[in-house]
Amino acid sequence: MPKLLTLRPLLIIDAATCAAMGLALSIGAAPLSALTGLPAALLFYAGLSLLPIAVFMALVAWRPHPGTVRLAVLGNAAWVAASLLLLASGPLFSWVAPNAFGIALVSVQAIGVAALALLEQTAARAARPQAA
């Protein structure tokens, strides 16, 4: 497995992207709302929620443990599910009404988070000692 795809670098990437997206969403909630059609409060609080997650991911990267890595992967899966639910909620429940750019933004970040979760899960399995 290439060095970049080992568990620790993937978790560091996860932490860095959570921090970057968290800052972008929380600081830029109003302009992003105008661009995406998503409520500014949703963007702001989603961004704030990512900041402690970034710290958690950094701690997991520093000292990976199977349980915390599993929690990180499950958290990413939950984020993807919430993103898809958000997109589905517009037509189904009228909770949000993102425009095309909003749909694209939520979709692309969900695909990225799903890919990262899959890579982390694969790297975690490869890092486990093989039974004799």
Side-chain angles (χ1 to χ4, degrees), residues 2-77:
K3 187 71 170 163
L4 181 62
L5 297 180
T6 60
L7 186 58
R8 182 164 280 141
L10 288 167
L11 291 166
I12 291 169
I13 290 168
D14 203 343
T17 56
C18 282
M21 191 68 157
L23 288 172
L25 291 175
S26 59
I27 293 170
L32 283 171
S33 177
L35 286 172
T36 62
L38 292 165
L42 173 70
L43 296 170
F44 177 77
Y45 289 111
L48 282 186
S49 75
L50 285 170
L51 299 176
I53 293 169
V55 172
F56 171 74
M57 291 294 186
L59 291 172
V60 174
W62 182 48
R63 295 193 62 124
H65 179 274
T68 57
V69 171
R70 194 171 316 114
L71 184 59
V73 171
L74 289 173
N76 281 339

Side-chain angles (χ1 to χ4, degrees), residues 75-90:
N76 281 339
W79 185 272
V80 171
S83 297
L84 297 176
L85 179 62
L86 177 73
L87 292 177
S89 72

Side-chain angles (χ1 to χ4, degrees), residues 21 79-80 83-84 87 100-115:
M21 191 68 157
W79 185 272
V80 171
S83 297
L84 297 176
L87 292 177
F101 183 69
I103 293 168
L105 180 68
V106 173
S107 299
V108 167
Q109 66 81 34
I111 290 167
V113 172

